[in-house]
Amino acid sequence: QAASAAAHDDFEEDREQRKAEAAKLAQDLHDVHQELRESQARFAAECSQLNHELEQASQGWKQAESLAAENLSALETARSDSATELAESSAALQLSRDSCRDAETRISSLESELRDATEKHVAAAERMHKAVSQAEADKQAALGESSE
């Protein structure tokens, strides 16, 4: 009976330890979920901002293209007057291109953050699943020992 009581105490102690591990894993999973939600919110906000900037850059690009076409036409009749306008148009085009490149870089960075957060989430879920499976196996083993 003493051996059975000791085995039961060991089982209870192990069970409490497993509960603590499962609680820690659940908290880790919760933290990763929170980080993922925050990352997704930042991603969504940044994407919204980038979409706005891309729209502005696109409009700027169209305006710059239109201005460039007008400048080419004006160049045929007054090359000296249109040289300044052409330079301004070229600068606007370059700014639009730079804005597009910057936006693409930022989107890529945010996608990378989202992938990292998702990988952490998956890893935490796998650890929690393994801990729960191990606890269940330990419980079944302990129950088998107790019945003997």
Side-chain angles (χ1 to χ4, degrees), residues 63-80:
Q63 291 171 352
E65 285 179 329
S66 176
L67 184 57
E70 291 172 15
N71 286 339
L72 288 175
S73 175
L75 186 59
E76 294 173 2
T77 57
R79 289 186 184 267
S80 61

Side-chain angles (χ1 to χ4, degrees), residues 12-148:
E12 286 300 321
E13 184 179 312
D14 189 50
R15 190 174 92 177
E16 290 302 317
Q17 183 181 357
R18 296 288 182 196
K19 279 183 184 179
E21 289 172 3
K24 170 79 171 86
L25 289 173
Q27 182 60 46
D28 289 351
L29 182 59
H30 173 75
D31 293 347
V32 169
H33 275 168
Q34 182 62 32
E35 184 180 325
L36 179 61
R37 282 191 294 275
E38 290 169 2
S39 180
Q40 287 171 331
R42 284 193 311 273
F43 181 77
E46 190 69 20
C47 284
S48 175
Q49 176 63 30
L50 292 174
N51 281 335
H52 178 69
E53 289 177 18
L54 283 172
E55 181 60 34
Q56 288 180 332
S58 175
Q59 289 174 0
W61 184 291
K62 289 175 186 174
Q63 291 171 352
E65 285 179 329
S66 176
L67 184 57
E70 291 172 15
N71 286 339
L72 288 175
S73 175
L75 186 59
E76 294 173 2
T77 57
R79 289 186 184 267
S80 61
D81 291 343
S82 64
T84 300
E85 291 176 349
L86 188 57
E88 291 172 356
S89 153
S90 177
L93 278 171
Q94 187 59 47
L95 284 174
S96 294
R97 287 181 186 134
D98 292 346
S99 293
C100 288
R101 273 191 226 105
D102 289 346
E104 289 171 352
T105 300
R106 285 165 48 193
I107 286 172
S108 177
S109 175
L110 288 169
E111 287 173 338
S112 179
E113 284 181 31
L114 185 59
R115 274 192 304 276
D116 291 347
T118 300
E119 289 171 6
K120 286 179 184 178
H121 171 80
V122 168
E126 288 173 352
R127 287 193 311 272
M128 184 172 179
H129 177 72
K130 285 179 184 177
V132 168
S133 295
Q134 184 61 48
E136 184 62 31
D138 292 349
K139 176 184 172 185
Q140 292 301 321
L143 288 174
E145 290 176 9
S146 294
S147 65
E148 292 176 352

